Amino acid sequence: MMAEEFDAKKVAEQIYRYSGGVKNVESFENCMTRIRLEINDHDQIDEQKLKEIPGVLGVVNDEQLQVVVGPGKVNKVEAAMEAYSGEKGINNRTAAEERAKEVKAEAKKKQKQSPFKSLLKDIANIFVPMIPAFVGSGLIAGIAAIISNLITNKTLTGETWNQIALVLNVIKAGMFTYLPIYTGINAARVWKATPTLGGVIGAVILLTGMDPNAPIKNLFTGAGLTANQGGILGVIFAVWLLSVLEKKLHQWVPDSIDIIVTPMICLLVIGLAELFVIMPLAGFISDGLIGGINWILNVGGAFSGFILGALFLPMVMLGLHQILTPIHVQMISQTGNTPLLPILAMAGGGQVGAAAALWLRLRHDRKLVDMIKGSLPVGILGIGEPLIYAVTLPLGRPFITACIGGGIGGAVIGAIGKVGAIAIGPSGLPLIPLIDNHRWWAYVLGLLAAYIGGFIVTYFWGIPTDKLAVERAEAAAEKEKNVRSLTGQENDPDTPTAKLQETTLQAVATGELKPISEAQDPVFAQKSMGEGYVLLPSGNEVYAPAAGTISSVFPTKHALGFTTETGIEILLHLGIDTVDLKGVPFDVQVTEGQQVAAGDLLVKADWQAVIDAGKLTETIVALPELGEAGEFELGKTGKVTAKEQVATIKSK
């Protein structure tokens, strides 16, 4: 059976519909795999309907609503949502401010989040938007490292290759050199501080402009501060303090001077605290973490390999893996390679093995399989974030078994020993050319062990029980379908699957009715929005074409979404290009979620105002989701009266 074509516009519209409508979405943004929505009233979310949207691979309804659609698709859905609502991030605070104040506090009470869980979510929100930059820069860094390695080995010669490696490293440095700035900006957004102030606080740890021969002194030890001391941990804590201070100052400082005084005080106070307190303390903590890692390495053997390989995925999830970079750099400078990187790379191998097991055991879960298909190739290439955030972590148990798989691979490399990488780059297969002393075979053995270990542990112990129950039901249904096909029952008219539901459509107004192919709007005329009809109204009242539920009311009131009692989606579009009129000619009589009977009044339209504005009054009834799942028959054209039966729909 062919996979259903992904329709970003339809997905965007349904995300709004089942999230409580456009007015219930305060803002939204996308990361690599998901749309993240800030919701005013979580009670209006229909989580089950969101999960059933074709193309949606998962839903997380926490303080923030997250809808997973997968890499390569999320940007299309984000653009479609922007087009649907009319603006990026929508920000409906003006319309929903009073209601939001009441329901947000109530929603947070219901969720009962622990402080630790909230902190983990905040940290993830800081780093997830940077995943595309990590992926792109990491791959470029890997290519540059391979070229540099081949130059060192005299396999590649000539100034041209040196220039290529240099250019790639310059591009790569655009991400990793200024990572504290990006982290500061994102952290400020998460904690509702000014993003640019967060970026400046992040830049402070770079110590730009400081003379290395006359450094700023560490107040605790008297030693000179070094750039990036305390790393990302220090930046995150400093920006959190910034958010607390900035909110207080906004309350205390008079509005007339707030724009001048507040930023200056924030940067001065937090900047000084960062230089003289946070950087030294965060550096001490980071040194402690590094010391612990070095202790594990010194223990040696399979034990060290297992511990490091198993713990690296949680570190990636928290963004803490960046603190390992100085260790890699120091080891390479001292010994020529880093034995830590090949072991940590096994974590990605465990993810790959776990994803393969999920694919095999839950192969009837089309959404999950599609997600794995999109994430697995980059996982094999050493980019593990899509598999972590879109596949294993949301399911829970597979994340743990993937960690165990990484530990198994790490144990193999640790047992073999003396496996080091000469450069820092992506893990997975791209790391093979960077393994030193011709011991690439040991790295490959470890990678295979991680694949197999992650697969076996996940296959037998990592499948969520609820998912497994659904899979068994789907498998039984498929088996029954195959039996029906073999016995000739599939086309038996007496079987329930052969029966079609019939829905009658009425004329939504008095006027002249035509097939939708004669619409003035080419999008509707080409049936891009499905079958339906066009009506040139002569009266100002617009009525419901059938019994059902108002699923959405566009902010500009020029269109309504409607779901019939038989589950048919209907789009009622009032006029052509009337979105420009900002809803002025339309007095909508219903609200989202309201049940209506066939013929109930939906809208009072001032068609003369539409005409005076130079727009067409053609009103369109379209069936955007009917497709091949049903049949549409237009029974009457020409002059019609409101509420007169004009068409029928037969659907499965």
Side-chain angles (χ1 to χ4, degrees):
M1 189 172 81
M2 292 183 63
E4 206 175 303
E5 185 178 351
F6 184 78
D7 188 336
K9 184 175 182 181
K10 187 185 297 182
V11 171
E13 292 174 355
Q14 292 185 331
I15 287 175
Y16 275 128
R17 180 180 307 153
Y18 300 129
S19 299
V22 173
K23 290 185 178 180
N24 197 41
V25 178
E26 182 178 303
S27 63
F28 64 86
E29 63 180 358
N30 70 293
C31 60
M32 190 167 185
T33 60
R34 67 195 72 184
I35 300 291
R36 296 170 172 268
L37 302 96
E38 296 290 343
I39 299 296
N40 290 319
D41 184 359
H42 280 256
D43 289 340
Q44 296 188 34
I45 296 173
D46 190 333
E47 189 171 337
Q48 186 58 40
K49 289 289 187 181
L50 283 171
K51 292 178 179 178
E52 293 173 358
I53 297 174
V56 169
L57 307 172
V59 174
V60 179
N61 184 12
D62 211 322
E63 287 189 359
Q64 189 180 60
L65 177 63
Q66 302 176 39
V67 182
V68 181
V69 293
K73 298 177 181 177
V74 67
N75 292 332
K76 297 177 183 178
V77 175
E78 188 269 344
M81 291 182 67
E82 181 180 346
Y84 185 96
S85 64
E87 55 180 303
K88 168 73 175 177
I90 47 189
N91 196 345
N92 282 298
R93 288 187 179 90
T94 302
E97 190 174 25
E98 292 302 319
R99 183 176 48 149
K101 288 179 181 178
E102 298 173 3
V103 301
K104 275 189 174 180
E106 198 64 35
K108 288 182 180 180
K109 288 180 183 178
K110 291 180 181 179
Q111 289 155 13
K112 296 181 180 178
Q113 265 203 325
S114 68
F116 181 68
K117 183 179 178 183
S118 180
L119 175 62
L120 293 184
K121 183 184 77 70
D122 287 343
I123 291 175
N125 288 340
I126 291 170
F127 287 98
V128 167
M130 291 191 279
I131 289 176
F134 278 131
V135 172
S137 300
L139 288 175
I140 289 173
I143 295 171
I146 292 172
I147 293 175
S148 298
N149 185 31
L150 294 175
I151 292 173
T152 301
N153 293 337
K154 308 298 184 182
T155 304
L156 296 177
T157 58
E159 185 60 27
T160 300
W161 285 111
N162 285 319
Q163 284 295 310
I164 291 173
L166 175 61
V167 168
L168 294 178
N169 280 317
V170 168
I171 296 173
K172 174 261 297 184
M175 174 62 189
F176 294 108
T177 301
Y178 302 106
L179 180 60
I181 298 176
Y182 307 139
T183 302
I185 291 172
N186 283 353
R189 286 173 175 161
V190 167
W191 287 314
K192 309 301 182 186
T194 302
T196 49
L197 295 181
V200 174
I201 293 302
V204 167
I205 73 166
L206 300 177
L207 299 180
T208 306
M210 185 187 77
D211 185 355
N213 297 318
I216 299 172
K217 298 295 184 180
N218 185 326
L219 292 183
F220 299 96
T221 65
L225 291 179
T226 58
N228 287 301
Q229 186 169 338
I232 299 303
L233 288 176
V235 171
I236 292 174
F237 181 67
V239 175
W240 177 76
L241 288 179
L242 167 72
S243 70
V244 174
L245 177 60
E246 186 178 9
K247 290 171 186 174
K248 292 296 183 182
L249 288 175
H250 283 316
Q251 296 173 4
W252 298 336
V253 176
D255 292 342
S256 58
I257 59 173
D258 182 55
I259 188 63
I260 300 172
V261 173
T262 297
M264 181 191 68
I265 295 177
C266 284
L267 291 180
L268 185 60
V269 172
I270 301 301
L272 290 172
E274 188 172 14
L275 285 169
F276 296 110
V277 180
I278 295 173
M279 285 182 68
L281 290 179
F284 175 77
I285 294 171
S286 295
D287 290 343
L289 291 173
I290 292 171
I293 293 170
N294 281 329
W295 176 83
I296 294 174
L297 279 174
N298 291 333
V299 170
F303 173 76
S304 295
F306 183 85
I307 295 298
L308 291 170
L311 293 181
F312 188 60
L313 280 182
M315 293 186 71
V316 172
M317 183 187 71
L318 298 175
L320 299 178
H321 60 300
Q322 296 300 324
I323 65 175
L324 300 174
T325 301
I327 297 178
H328 294 315
V329 173
Q330 184 176 357
M331 287 180 172
I332 292 172
S333 64
Q334 290 181 352
T335 65
N337 65 57
T338 167
L340 183 59
L341 182 58
I343 293 176
L344 299 181
M346 296 300 102
Q351 286 278 346
V352 170
L358 288 168
W359 189 346
L360 184 62
R361 290 294 303 275
L362 303 177
R363 54 187 174 276
H364 291 95
D365 189 335
R366 183 178 60 82
K367 295 178 182 179
L368 177 63
V369 169
D370 286 347
M371 186 70 261
I372 293 173
K373 286 180 180 178
S375 305
L376 197 56
V378 293
I380 293 172
L381 293 176
I383 309 301
E385 283 84 355
L387 284 175
I388 293 174
Y389 291 109
V391 179
T392 61
L393 187 59
L395 294 177
R397 192 182 298 179
F399 179 76
I400 298 174
T401 54
C403 291
I404 295 173
I408 292 172
V412 170
I413 290 184
I416 296 173
K418 297 181 180 179
V419 182
I422 63 172
I424 303 173
S427 56
L429 296 181
L431 190 60
I432 294 175
L434 303 180
I435 301 300
D436 201 12
N437 297 323
H438 305 289
R439 296 180 70 81
W440 59 267
W441 57 270
Y443 175 77
V444 172
L445 284 178
L447 203 55
L448 291 175
Y451 289 162
I452 296 171
F455 180 88
I456 292 175
V457 178
T458 304
Y459 188 91
F460 288 105
W461 297 285
I463 310 299
T465 53
D466 57 336
K467 287 282 186 181
L468 197 56
V470 173
E471 175 68 16
R472 288 168 179 163
E474 291 285 348
E478 183 177 349
K479 183 177 180 180
E480 182 181 350
K481 181 179 178 181
N482 292 336
V483 170
R484 285 179 175 275
S485 178
L486 291 172
T487 58
Q489 295 179 9
E490 190 174 41
N491 296 319
D492 187 347
D494 293 330
T495 61
T497 55
K499 294 180 181 179
L500 297 178
Q501 299 181 89
E502 186 169 300
T503 303
T504 299
L505 293 188
Q506 299 180 353
V508 295
T510 299
E512 184 82 16
L513 190 142
K514 301 180 293 184
I516 198 169
S517 57
E518 297 182 22
Q520 295 296 313
D521 189 324
V523 173
F524 289 104
Q526 295 168 12
K527 300 186 179 180
S528 300
M529 296 298 293
E531 279 284 4
Y533 66 78
V534 179
L535 195 147
L536 191 63
S538 57
N540 290 333
E541 288 77 24
V542 180
Y543 301 95
T549 304
I550 303 300
S551 54
S552 63
V553 177
F554 281 47
T556 50
K557 302 180 184 180
H558 75 292
L560 288 79
F562 185 86
T563 306
T564 70
E565 292 178 336
T566 54
I568 303 298
E569 299 294 331
I570 297 176
L571 174 64
L572 177 61
H573 199 280
L574 306 172
I576 305 297
D577 293 332
T578 47
V579 64
D580 299 335
L581 305 183
K582 309 297 183 183
V584 174
F586 307 118
D587 183 9
V588 179
Q589 304 293 302
V590 292
T591 58
E592 291 179 5
Q594 181 176 334
Q595 302 285 330
V596 296
D600 280 358
L601 180 63
L602 300 182
V603 181
K604 291 181 179 179
D606 185 350
W607 294 121
Q608 188 57 50
V610 173
I611 295 171
D612 292 344
K615 308 296 183 182
L616 298 177
T617 62
E618 277 191 354
T619 295
I620 299 167
V621 175
L623 311 172
E625 298 185 19
L626 186 61
E628 298 179 358
E631 303 172 1
F632 174 80
E633 182 179 347
L634 187 60
K636 184 172 183 179
T637 57
K639 295 289 185 181
V640 295
T641 57
K643 308 180 186 181
E644 179 181 353
Q645 180 178 333
V646 295
T648 55
I649 306 169
K650 293 181 180 180
S651 58
K652 297 179 181 179

